[in-house]
Amino acid sequence: MLKRTLYCGEISEDHLGKEVSLCGWVHRVRNHGGVVFVDLRDREGIVQCVVEERINPEAYELADSLRSEYVVAIRGTVRRRPQGTENPRLKTGNFEVVIDRIELLNSSEALPFPVDEETPVSEEIKLNHRYLDLRRESMRENILFRHKAYQVIRRVFLRHGFVEVETPFLTKSTPEGARDFLVPSRLHPGKFYALPQSPQLFKQILMVAGFDRYFQIVKCLRDEDLRADRQPEFTQVDFELSFVDEEDVIAFSEELICDLFKELLGLELKRPFDRLSYGEVMERYGSDKPDRRFGLELIDLSHVFKDTQFRVFREALENNGAVKAINFKGSNLSRKEIDELTQFVQTLGAKGLAWIKVEADGKLNSPIVKFFTERETKELLKTMDAKAGDVLFFSADSKDMVYKILGNLRLHIGKKYGLIDQSKFDLLWVVDFPLVEWDEEEKRFVSLHHPFTSPREEDIPLIEEALKVESLEEKKKLLHSVRARAYDLVINGYEVGGGSIRIHRRDLQELIFKLLEIGKVEAEEKFGFLLRALQFGAPPHGGLAFGLDRLIAIMRGLDSIRDVIAFPKTQKGICPLTGAPDYVEPKQLKDVHIKVVE
RNA sequence: GGAGCCGUAGUUCAGCCCGGUCAGAACGCCGGCCUGUCAAGCCGGAGGGCGCGGGUUCAAGUCCCGUCGGCUCCGCCA
């Protein structure tokens, strides 16, 4: 067999006149009668190979019989293409390989879909034949890009003295957080391991153990429903440092992100990244992960309607809710377009969508202005800076609902009407998260981040006070102002990283468990190992984890993380390639003491 | 758990609203021609019965119900 001397995509000026041997896949064959062009492809790119019948009849005949995705080795001589026949779309487009010999290494069936960028192919078919999909240039580049990212990331960590440590995959199920994937134990009937949602507790233990700086590029598993940016198994760039505060973690994170953007995209990001508080981003964007590449900010109207007779607005304000609006400036939306947006917000649980359109003559076209006083209307238009052609959309409801409706509507409009500058990267730290929020379903407070996140020192008395008061409203009020020492990195409206300074004192950790109504017995049972560790000289520590899949997808301008994962799952959590999940043999079930009930 | 869009040749789609030459196009595939193309070109050919199951009807890709699958979103995701 001919042995490769270089990759197809590497052919350049340097190889002119030299004999080369290439191994790869037949991308395309063009036979012009007497001369055949074979585009040969490998992971580095494509190069055109050529053979003429009258010069090399044997190779010509074989070349003529080649079909897409046949595997061949080709020996030949590199030459400059005849003038006027260069192909600027190929990296190797100024050169071609004059075929001396072709070895057919394997043939291929007719393809289920073309290995090119032109034809859109359904996700199902692509994943079914992922090996073919991955041969496509864009997918190959996504995977190679990701590979390069690993290298940059490791280099940055090593530069800063981080130690790479692996943590267990067979671990313990913990309450709080996402649903666990469970693994039945054969040796311990009725007991289960859980696959880790993240190495959170292990990395904290490593800090207690004195490793000082830890990192790991690691799979995390959560048994929750999928989204374009969520897979049941995904990769975190996880790290933790001792003897640090927020600023250290943030500064290091920025360096890591900057190095990635610089080395992989050639972009110099401006440092420090912007920071906004959780409260501010919720007020302005209705989201804790805002995309700031376009406007349409939420504007508060409670002062305008504080005494309004319009029932919908009045009730919202009376019930401690909010009245807010966004102004889609100069959009001149038609009634049909407004109806479409109304339908959209209804899928989010809105009853309807109040709107005002400012017509060209300045008249207001709206189903609701008739309920406003003259003063309200005037102040409203002023607050919203409403001009001819503008369309205003309102939401009046509980604060959570207003944020949800207008935040999602804002994004929907931004995408639908092309308001987003796709060439930009918007990097933002969201800080000052509340430590906990009330969970109406569970009727208790739950961590916004996770139960190991430290509250601000000065806010701890508020927690103690809240635990003493009886009234729930009073509790909520007190706890609302307890801030977590947490920080999220948001890029283009995606949460790509999150972390916090952790609790390193047992008494404080116990206080938080108490706040979260995790009883002493349960805390001991589930987190006893952590509590004990905190008693034996736990250093102050904190860290962060980046969602690598999301980060790579954003850097590559992709909408779905499936495109940066070699073997992703479909929305129903199925791997079409292997057919997982699947039934197993009764013997296997018996071994692990599992009986399946319908 | 819920909502929306989609499912027709190997692939991407049109046809569905207004049931009755509606089973089509392009690419791919097969055969032939062609010495400079590069998503080659030209000529010819094969290939599906419309995801699956019911129902309505004289008649169903076309209407109705159910179901499965893909995608997007809500819930969920400490």
Side-chain angles (χ1 to χ4, degrees), chain A residues 165-172 193-199 201-203 206 216 218-219 221:
Chain A
V165 183
E166 291 183 69
T167 50
F169 264 49
L170 295 176
T171 181
K172 190 176 157 97
Y193 300 99
L195 301 177
Q197 297 176 24
S198 88
L201 295 176
F202 290 107
K203 70 176 176 177
L206 286 168
Q216 189 180 189
V218 63
K219 279 285 184 73
L221 301 110

Side-chain angles (χ1 to χ4, degrees), chain A residues 47-93:
Chain A
V47 71
Q48 172 170 286
C49 304
V50 62
V51 59
E52 289 186 50
E53 183 171 25
R54 64 173 184 221
I55 292 172
N56 191 342
E58 201 182 327
Y60 174 85
E61 199 177 328
L62 183 52
D64 183 44
S65 72
L66 295 177
R67 297 291 177 266
S68 286
E69 302 308 309
Y70 279 27
V71 185
V72 294
I74 287 179
R75 188 178 65 204
T77 309
V78 179
R79 76 174 175 202
R80 197 175 292 282
R81 290 197 191 187
Q83 200 161 24
T85 66
E86 300 87 352
N87 183 354
R89 292 169 63 184
L90 285 183
K91 196 166 58 175
T92 62

Side-chain angles (χ1 to χ4, degrees), chain A residues 66-131:
Chain A
L66 295 177
R67 297 291 177 266
S68 286
E69 302 308 309
Y70 279 27
V71 185
V72 294
I74 287 179
R75 188 178 65 204
T77 309
V78 179
R79 76 174 175 202
R80 197 175 292 282
R81 290 197 191 187
Q83 200 161 24
T85 66
E86 300 87 352
N87 183 354
R89 292 169 63 184
L90 285 183
K91 196 166 58 175
T92 62
N94 288 333
F95 314 100
E96 62 188 6
V97 175
V98 181
I99 297 173
D100 169 40
R101 192 173 140 216
I102 303 176
E103 268 183 34
L104 179 61
L105 303 176
N106 208 347
S107 59
S108 168
E109 298 280 304
L111 300 172
F113 59 86
V115 178
D116 64 24
E117 299 298 320
E118 285 78 32
T119 320
V121 180
S122 83
E123 202 72 15
E124 196 181 4
I125 292 166
K126 287 197 292 186
L127 292 183
N128 240 310
H129 303 272
R130 191 60 161 177
Y131 38 86

Side-chain angles (χ1 to χ4, degrees), chain A residues 213 239 241 243-255 271-273 275 429 431-432 456 485-487 500-501 542-544:
Chain A
R213 292 178 168 216
F239 66 95
L241 308 87
F243 312 108
V244 294
D245 61 22
E246 293 85 332
E247 296 306 323
D248 300 298
V249 179
I250 286 176
F252 173 78
S253 300
E254 290 190 1
E255 184 176 330
R271 278 185 71 181
F273 302 165
R275 281 189 213 182
W429 288 107
V431 296
D432 290 336
R456 289 234 202 145
R485 296 180 70 180
Y487 29 82
S500 63
I501 299 302
L544 184 142

Side-chain angles (χ1 to χ4, degrees), chain A residues 315-562:
Chain A
E315 283 176 1
L317 291 172
E318 278 170 3
N319 295 321
N320 197 29
V323 177
K324 284 172 170 284
I326 57 177
N327 182 355
F328 189 4
K329 292 199 79 64
S331 59
N332 264 311
L333 294 181
S334 67
R335 187 58 199 264
K336 195 178 155 202
E337 289 169 303
I338 292 171
D339 287 346
E340 188 278 326
L341 296 174
T342 304
Q343 269 183 16
F344 171 76
V345 297
Q346 280 169 341
T347 68
L348 302 171
K351 289 161 214 110
L353 181 63
W355 53 274
I356 297 178
K357 180 175 175 187
V358 187
E359 299 290 357
D361 57 8
K363 287 218 177 74
L364 300 183
N365 177 1
S366 166
I368 56 166
V369 276
K370 60 183 178 228
F371 300 111
F372 301 161
T373 64
E374 211 170 296
R375 185 198 64 82
E376 283 167 355
T377 304
K378 206 173 139 207
E379 246 184 87
L380 167 70
L381 295 179
K382 190 170 152 235
T383 306
M384 297 301 297
D385 185 33
K387 301 268 162 50
D390 292 1
V391 180
L392 316 178
F393 293 105
F394 299 80
S395 178
D397 210 315
S398 68
K399 281 185 179 157
D400 285 352
M401 202 60 184
V402 169
Y403 293 147
K404 179 179 166 188
I405 301 297
L406 290 183
N408 279 104
L409 179 62
R410 173 179 177 270
L411 248 191
H412 181 76
I413 290 175
K415 284 182 185 158
K416 181 170 173 167
Y417 292 95
L419 308 182
I420 302 172
D421 180 353
Q422 301 287 351
S423 68
K424 268 201 206 155
F425 287 102
D426 170 42
L427 294 100
L428 171 71
W429 288 107
V430 177
V431 296
D432 290 336
F433 286 85
L435 185 73
V436 294
E437 63 185 350
W438 177 254
D439 186 318
E440 193 52 46
E441 293 248 309
E442 294 199 41
K443 300 283 178 208
R444 67 181 182 99
F445 291 94
V446 296
S447 298
L448 224 72
H449 199 62
H450 58 52
F452 320 108
T453 298
S454 179
R456 289 234 202 145
E457 192 69 33
E458 63 268 34
D459 293 345
I460 294 174
L462 290 173
I463 300 173
E464 285 163 342
E465 202 183 326
L467 283 171
K468 282 179 204 144
V469 302
E470 285 292 317
S471 133
L472 181 60
E473 286 313 308
E474 194 74 7
K475 264 193 173 61
K476 281 187 190 173
K477 213 167 158 190
L478 283 163
L479 291 172
H480 187 69
S481 39
V482 175
R483 290 156 300 173
R485 296 180 70 180
Y487 29 82
D488 276 1
L489 181 66
V490 177
I491 306 182
N492 296 354
Y494 289 92
E495 182 197 326
V496 300
S500 63
I501 299 302
R502 327 296 182 186
I503 295 165
H504 68 284
R505 294 190 340 243
R506 177 168 179 144
D507 60 335
L508 182 56
Q509 187 65 71
E510 284 180 327
L511 182 74
I512 300 301
F513 283 159
K514 194 170 168 194
L515 173 65
L516 301 175
E517 294 180 40
I518 300 173
K520 275 226 156 68
V521 177
E522 189 186 3
E524 179 55 36
E525 195 178 296
K526 302 291 185 185
F527 302 115
F529 64 103
L530 175 71
L531 290 172
R532 247 161 282 132
L534 296 182
Q535 284 177 287
F536 292 98
H541 62 283
L544 184 142
F546 289 111
L548 185 66
D549 315 282
R550 284 183 190 169
L551 183 59
I552 302 293
I554 290 165
M555 290 179 79
R556 303 258 326 144
L558 300 167
D559 292 324
S560 168
I561 64 170
R562 287 189 302 273

Side-chain angles (χ1 to χ4, degrees), chain A residues 230-247:
Chain A
R230 271 167 37 190
Q231 285 271 312
E233 50 181 312
F234 62 100
T235 303
Q236 281 193 349
V237 175
D238 189 50
F239 66 95
E240 194 81 3
L241 308 87
S242 292
F243 312 108
V244 294
D245 61 22
E246 293 85 332
E247 296 306 323

